[in-house]
Amino acid sequence: MTMNTGMTVRSPPAKGSNPNNLRSMEDVELGSSSHGGTTGHRRNFKAKESDPVEKSAALTVGNGDANSLKMPGTPRTMQKEADAATLSKSIIASTMYSGCSVGMVLVNKSLASSYNHLIQGDLNILLVVFQAITAVICVETSKRMGWVDYPSFNIRTAQLWAPVNILFCGMLFTGMASLEHNSVPMVTVFKNITNIMTTIGDCIIYGASVELLVIAAFGIMLMGAVMAARNDADVTQTGLFWMLANCLCTSGYVLYLKFATKSVKLSKFGMVFYNNVLCTLFLFPFSVMNGEFATFMRTSALHTPDYAVKNAFAGFVGFFLNFASLNCVAQTGPTTYAMIGSLNKIPIAIMGYLIFDNAISEETWTFISISLMGGILYTIAKLRAGKRKSGK
């Protein structure tokens, strides 16, 4: 005995559809049979023409649940997610730069306190050369192992990157001359003026907007530096010249670094490679001319595995500092980079006290307290700006 059941479903035409452009779904016949009868599973669909609106929404039917309709996120939601991701990247980049910068200062301080008594003068430039060579070895080893990738050395790319290193060398030399002709508190005052110059340059060159709270934060930090230097405010013409030169070189370095990270088509590790290769080429001849290399060669007490290991470790930290600096400028901009550089003096002073037993004067505590207030104000300003941008 054969049983056949048939059901015909006729779908109505879509509302507002044009019969000339849209073919309606014809009869759908669903049949079932049992006990050896003829099986009829026949679905005759005449599909509609493609509709871009219908293509954009995907309907997933799961157990007849209407909640399985997948709709794309709204532009506002997507913007909020993008802003949250940007904020997260900025925080990570800032933390990495701050940690590497503080670590680099402490490592160099350890080297200086351990070996400077063995020589007359210092080896500041030569130490930078040693650390740059170590950084090149690190990044090249990473490339050989397949962990990172960047193009081989190219003269044209080196020419585009060279201004970064020229400004860096200028910042290094003028900073050393500033410390030679001025007290540390006065140099700190001008470092805060450099931050204000960098912020103004960021506005003029890159069109960055500056919140009123950001200006207030820089003003507070400058006031703290001036108060710390109130008992040691002697400035000579020579000292003033070198401090102004250092302000220009430092500000120019940070501002051009932002341009270079955007315009030179290199990965961050490629930038680390060029930065340290050119740094070595520029600074090593100077270390020879000023006698540092000769001093190192004739001081046998420095030719020890311990000194080599400490220098290698400093270079390893410098490798990460290079990457962190480039990443911080790219993710946050020159203004935030400059602010972090100023705030780094707080953990450096505290760690110096704890590790090296360096006394912290009353003036330094004043500077630390007021700088911390300025840093908090700057953070609040940036958070408010981020909320306004995301439309909260």
Side-chain angles (χ1 to χ4, degrees), residues 80 188 313 332 337 360 373:
K80 287 180 180 179
T188 304
F313 180 71
T332 65
Y337 178 84
I360 301 179
M373 289 171 55

Side-chain angles (χ1 to χ4, degrees), residues 305-325:
D306 181 67
Y307 187 76
V309 168
K310 285 185 177 179
N311 262 298
F313 180 71
F316 188 67
V317 175
F319 162 68
F320 284 104
L321 176 59
N322 266 248
F323 176 81
S325 299

Side-chain angles (χ1 to χ4, degrees), residues 212-226:
L212 187 61
L213 282 179
V214 171
I215 298 172
F218 279 122
I220 287 172
M221 294 182 71
L222 178 59
M223 181 182 68
V226 171

Side-chain angles (χ1 to χ4, degrees), residues 34 45 74 82 91 123 125 137 143 165 177 183 221 281 308 364 391:
S34 60
F45 290 97
T74 62
I91 292 172
L123 301 176
I125 301 297
I137 293 171
K143 182 181 179 180
N165 290 91
S183 64
M221 294 182 71
L281 293 176
T364 304

